[in-house]
């Protein structure tokens, strides 16, 4: 399928699949969307929710936070999480699953480093250059493992604190937004684990609820009215 690099409304670039009229990130702002959905309502929500109770002994500074990303793609979500790990002084183990890795020549055309943190150019490049299927230390607080496989092949149990669910939309890949897939996500999360996604479709919410998640609608990023956050209780 034909692909091209486009500039979104906040000046950050993303990849567009022209045959689908689908983008890796929101056309209303790639960086804005990633920060709003995955950092603010995912990582920071989880971190802040667990910093004043008994569980904080294994989260805030004493142990690693485990994050699974469904759709590693351009690495934008991982890059922003790396920066937050540094700010929070929190160790994070990050697993990014991607069935079709983005080509290096496409990565080279993205401008996330220039817009977010030029001081972390080396770390962004390292994220994309390290081999797949192995865990690598990118910074003292951030370890990354990229896994090349289909989402349905994930076989994790009570392993992750947070899931960033950033698959292509249900309009073009409805099979990725079913109870079968969310059952896999539910099993992969620890108790009180959090899943966040940009989607707010009623069918997606019902699929999450159908496998046991408690789901809430939240204000969406620019250009989108709502998003979803699901918790495994």
């Amino acid at each position: 399928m034909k692909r091209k690099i486009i500039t979104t409304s906040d000046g950050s670039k993303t990849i567009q699949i022209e045959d689908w009229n689908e983008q890796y990130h929101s056309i209303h702002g790639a960086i804005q969307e990633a920060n709003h959905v995955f950092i603010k309502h995912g990582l920071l929500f989880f971190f802040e929710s667990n910093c004043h109770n008994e569980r904080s002994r294994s989260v805030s500074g004493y142990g690693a936070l485990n994050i699974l990303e469904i759709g590693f793609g351009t690495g934008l979500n991982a890059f922003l999480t790396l920066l937050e790990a540094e700010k929070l002084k929190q160790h994070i183990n990050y697993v990014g699953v991607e069935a079709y890795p983005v080509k290096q020549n496409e990565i080279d055309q993205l401008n996330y480093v220039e817009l977010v943190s030029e001081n972390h150019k080396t770390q962004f490049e390292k994220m994309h250059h390290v081999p797949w299927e192995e865990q690598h230390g990118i910074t003292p607080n951030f370890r990354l493992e990229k896994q090349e496989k289909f989402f349905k092949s994930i076989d994790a149990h009570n392993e992750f604190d947070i899931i960033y669910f950033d698959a292509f939309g249900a309009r073009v890949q409805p099979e990725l937004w079913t109870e079968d897939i969310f059952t896999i996500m539910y099993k992969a999360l620890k108790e009180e684990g959090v899943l966040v996604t940009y989607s707010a479709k009623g069918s997606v919410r019902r699929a999450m609820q159908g496998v046991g998640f408690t789901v809430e609608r939240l204000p969406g990023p620019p250009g989108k009215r709502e998003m979803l956050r699901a918790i495994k209780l």
Side-chain angles (χ1 to χ4, degrees):
M1 287 184 286
K2 189 175 181 183
R3 300 153 64 92
K4 68 177 181 180
I5 306 296
I6 65 169
T7 301
T8 68
S9 294
D10 66 0
S12 56
K13 296 182 182 297
T14 191
I15 301 170
Q16 181 181 66
I17 301 177
E18 293 187 277
D19 293 347
W20 285 354
N21 190 27
E22 183 79 356
Q23 293 72 225
Y24 275 67
H25 307 286
S26 171
I27 60 172
H28 301 286
I31 291 174
Q32 285 183 148
E33 177 193 48
N35 271 320
H36 181 89
V37 176
F38 303 109
I39 303 303
K40 178 181 178 181
H41 289 299
L43 173 59
L44 295 180
F45 168 79
F46 182 89
F47 188 84
E48 292 164 6
S49 297
N50 290 279
C51 66
H52 297 300
N53 58 31
E54 191 67 21
R55 192 177 179 189
S56 67
R57 301 181 193 279
S58 64
V59 175
S60 302
Y62 291 96
L65 243 175
N66 297 316
I67 298 178
L68 171 66
E69 181 179 14
I70 301 301
F72 182 75
T74 65
L76 173 58
N77 297 331
F79 183 52
L80 294 176
T81 301
L82 177 152
L83 298 177
E84 288 299 322
E86 192 171 286
K87 294 176 189 175
L88 297 171
K89 296 181 173 56
Q90 171 64 49
H91 293 288
I92 292 178
N93 295 323
Y94 196 101
V95 175
V97 177
E98 178 61 59
Y100 302 101
V102 174
K103 303 299 184 183
Q104 187 60 48
N105 69 305
E106 293 175 313
I107 296 297
D108 292 341
Q109 297 177 66
L110 303 175
N111 61 348
Y112 306 144
V113 168
E114 291 81 357
L115 294 180
V116 178
S117 178
E118 292 188 347
N119 293 332
H120 291 83
K121 184 176 187 292
T122 299
Q123 289 81 2
F124 182 77
E125 291 175 347
K126 185 176 181 180
M127 282 173 30
H128 287 288
H129 288 147
V130 293
W132 291 65
E133 317 305 335
E134 301 173 4
Q135 189 180 72
H136 303 273
I138 309 300
T139 71
N141 286 329
F142 187 86
R143 297 183 65 81
L144 171 67
E145 180 178 345
K146 299 179 293 183
Q147 298 180 358
E148 185 177 349
K149 62 185 178 183
F150 293 107
F151 305 150
K152 64 183 180 181
S153 299
I154 294 169
D155 186 26
H157 296 273
N158 300 313
E159 186 174 334
F160 296 99
D161 299 290
I162 304 167
I163 294 176
Y164 296 166
F165 200 89
D166 200 16
F168 285 128
R171 176 180 62 85
V172 297
Q173 289 195 307
E175 70 277 8
L176 302 181
W177 300 85
T178 62
E179 285 195 15
D180 287 346
I181 292 295
F182 287 119
T183 295
I184 294 170
M185 300 299 106
Y186 191 87
K187 289 178 180 177
L189 277 174
K190 299 176 184 177
E191 186 176 336
E192 298 183 26
V194 172
L195 181 153
V196 282
T197 183
Y198 63 87
S199 177
K201 286 178 67 70
S203 60
V204 172
R205 176 177 55 82
R206 290 189 293 273
M208 291 176 174
Q209 292 172 327
V211 305
F213 280 113
T214 297
V215 185
E216 59 183 324
R217 294 183 183 274
L218 300 169
K224 191 168 180 59
R225 190 176 67 177
E226 294 179 320
M227 59 165 283
L228 297 176
R229 180 166 62 210
I231 300 175
K232 179 180 179 178
L233 298 177

